[in-house]
């Protein structure tokens, strides 16, 4: 019921329609750009190694902008989940039913998570298909599935934080706060990429580390990219020397377990805060 209700709520928002239109335009322009670039640079006549390297570079750039689209989709859809409905009076009518509030909170999270998953999967697969078809980048099914799961997990982490903020902050304030935290996490990833060449202030590196722990979305994105381009077999060829887009330190499996615990704690705090919230 809440999955269906969330979809109806999203379709009523004009920003949702604008996000979908911009996403479709991005994919069309990206696919045309990859096709034209492949024709101009002669990727079809290049050696398999050169074609693979060029395809990896395009994959890095495409997924970087794709993660920005998924983040804004989360912000627009979830930043007013609690306080927005409270201000409109809708939340009071829903919470009056004989349903524990923590179950209502989890149902709202699940409703948003389903549609965020659908959006991210469609965006990810479309982008990978464009690069595979036009740039000739070979992609194994196992690498694709691991990259897809991690790419979807990234906005779900952002969703848990955004929904927790919606319990305490007004809709606009929550959107700004979540966007700033996401920006700091993105900045920490760029700093790690620059640190490959040395010369980064230790204080900046510590700031990037703390930010990455507060919101580990960028680390999950980099692990997704690492898995997609072949992991340890091929990743070092192209994505270890791309300036701020480089992946110097690949997040470990232990860090992925940390993100699972992170999401569980955020959901627990959200359920507890929503249960005590004065409606």
């Amino acid at each position: 019921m809440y999955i269906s209700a969330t979809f109806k709520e999203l379709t009523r928002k004009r920003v949702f329609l604008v996000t979908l239109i911009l996403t479709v335009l991005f994919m069309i322009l990206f696919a045309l750009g990859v096709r034209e670039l492949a024709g101009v640079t002669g990727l079809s006549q290049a050696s398999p190694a050169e074609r693979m390297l060029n395809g990896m570079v395009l994959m890095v750039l495409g997924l970087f902008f794709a993660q920005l689209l998924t983040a804004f989709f989360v912000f627009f859809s979830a930043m007013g989940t609690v306080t927005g409905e409270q201000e409109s009076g809708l939340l009071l009518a829903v919470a009056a039913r004989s349903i524990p509030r923590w179950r209502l909170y989890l149902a709202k999270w699940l409703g948003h998570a389903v549609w965020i998953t659908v959006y991210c999967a469609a965006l990810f697969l479309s982008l990978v298909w464009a690069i595979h078809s036009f740039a000739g980048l070979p992609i194994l099914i196992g690498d694709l599935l691991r990259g897809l799961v991690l790419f979807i997990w990234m906005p779900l982490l952002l969703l848990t934080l955004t929904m927790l903020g919606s319990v305490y902050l007004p809709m606009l304030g929550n959107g700004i706060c979540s966007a700033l935290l996401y920006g700091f996490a993105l900045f920490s990833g760029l700093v790690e990429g620059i640190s490959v060449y040395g010369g980064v202030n230790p204080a900046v590196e510590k700031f990037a580390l703390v930010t990455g722990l507060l919101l580990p979305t960028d680390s999950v994105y980099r692990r997704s990219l690492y898995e997609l381009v072949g992991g340890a077999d091929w990743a070092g060829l192209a994505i270890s020397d791309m300036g701020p887009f480089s992946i110097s330190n690949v997040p470990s499996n232990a860090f992925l377990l940390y993100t699972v615990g992170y999401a569980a704690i955020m959901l627990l705090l959200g359920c507890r805060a929503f249960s005590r919230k004065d409606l």
Side-chain angles (χ1 to χ4, degrees):
M1 180 182 66
Y2 277 99
I3 294 174
S4 176
T6 302
F7 179 74
K8 294 179 180 178
E9 179 184 355
L10 289 175
T11 54
R12 286 197 298 264
K13 297 179 180 179
R14 293 184 179 180
V15 69
F16 174 73
L17 180 61
V18 172
T19 302
L20 290 183
I21 293 175
L22 292 178
T23 301
V24 173
L25 288 177
F26 166 74
M27 287 310 309
I28 293 175
L29 293 175
F30 182 80
L32 292 176
V34 172
R35 189 183 66 176
E36 292 298 322
L37 184 62
V40 171
T41 58
L43 287 181
S44 58
Q45 288 80 29
S47 65
E50 291 177 341
R51 190 162 58 247
M52 181 177 294
L53 290 175
N54 291 329
M56 287 182 182
V57 172
L58 292 174
M59 186 72 74
V60 171
L61 298 177
L63 285 182
F64 178 80
F65 289 101
Q67 70 154 335
L68 296 178
L69 290 175
T70 59
F72 284 111
F73 182 81
V74 173
F75 296 147
F76 294 148
S77 61
M79 64 183 183
T81 301
V82 176
T83 53
E85 293 185 0
Q86 181 184 14
E87 294 172 357
S88 64
L90 179 61
L91 185 61
L92 184 61
V94 175
R97 298 183 179 183
S98 57
I99 303 176
R101 285 194 182 182
W102 67 268
R103 294 184 61 183
L104 178 61
Y105 184 86
L106 289 180
K108 287 180 174 295
W109 184 90
L110 179 62
H112 284 88
V114 167
W115 297 113
I116 289 172
T117 299
V118 172
Y119 172 82
C120 292
L123 178 61
F124 181 88
L125 294 176
S126 299
L127 188 145
V128 172
W129 172 83
I131 297 176
H132 174 71
S133 300
F134 299 129
L137 177 65
I139 299 175
L140 299 177
I141 296 298
D143 297 336
L144 176 65
L145 293 178
R146 287 191 295 270
L148 174 61
V149 170
L150 291 171
F151 186 81
I152 293 174
W153 181 235
M154 176 197 63
L156 294 183
L157 287 173
L158 190 58
L159 172 64
T160 58
L161 180 65
T162 304
M163 282 194 58
L164 176 61
S166 70
V167 180
Y168 296 101
L169 301 174
M171 183 172 64
L172 182 59
N174 182 39
I176 294 175
C177 182
S178 300
L180 286 176
L181 287 175
Y182 174 76
F184 287 147
L186 192 63
F187 171 76
S188 68
L190 297 177
V191 168
E192 286 190 13
I194 299 174
S195 65
V196 175
Y197 305 96
V200 179
N201 191 297
V204 177
E205 291 184 346
K206 292 180 181 179
F207 170 78
L209 175 63
V210 173
T211 304
L213 293 175
L214 290 177
L215 185 58
T217 52
D218 188 76
S219 299
V220 175
Y221 154 74
R222 286 186 283 114
R223 179 62 185 267
S224 171
L225 181 60
Y226 174 81
E227 295 291 344
L228 181 61
V229 297
D233 296 331
W234 299 107
L237 293 176
I239 59 180
S240 61
D241 192 18
M242 289 189 62
F245 300 101
S246 302
I247 298 180
S248 57
N249 297 316
V250 180
S252 63
N253 293 332
F255 187 85
L256 295 181
L257 291 177
Y258 164 77
T259 63
V260 175
Y262 175 92
I265 292 175
M266 292 294 105
L267 281 175
L268 179 62
L269 293 176
C271 291
R272 184 177 181 180
F274 184 66
S275 299
R276 299 180 176 183
K277 185 176 178 62
D278 184 13
L279 302 180

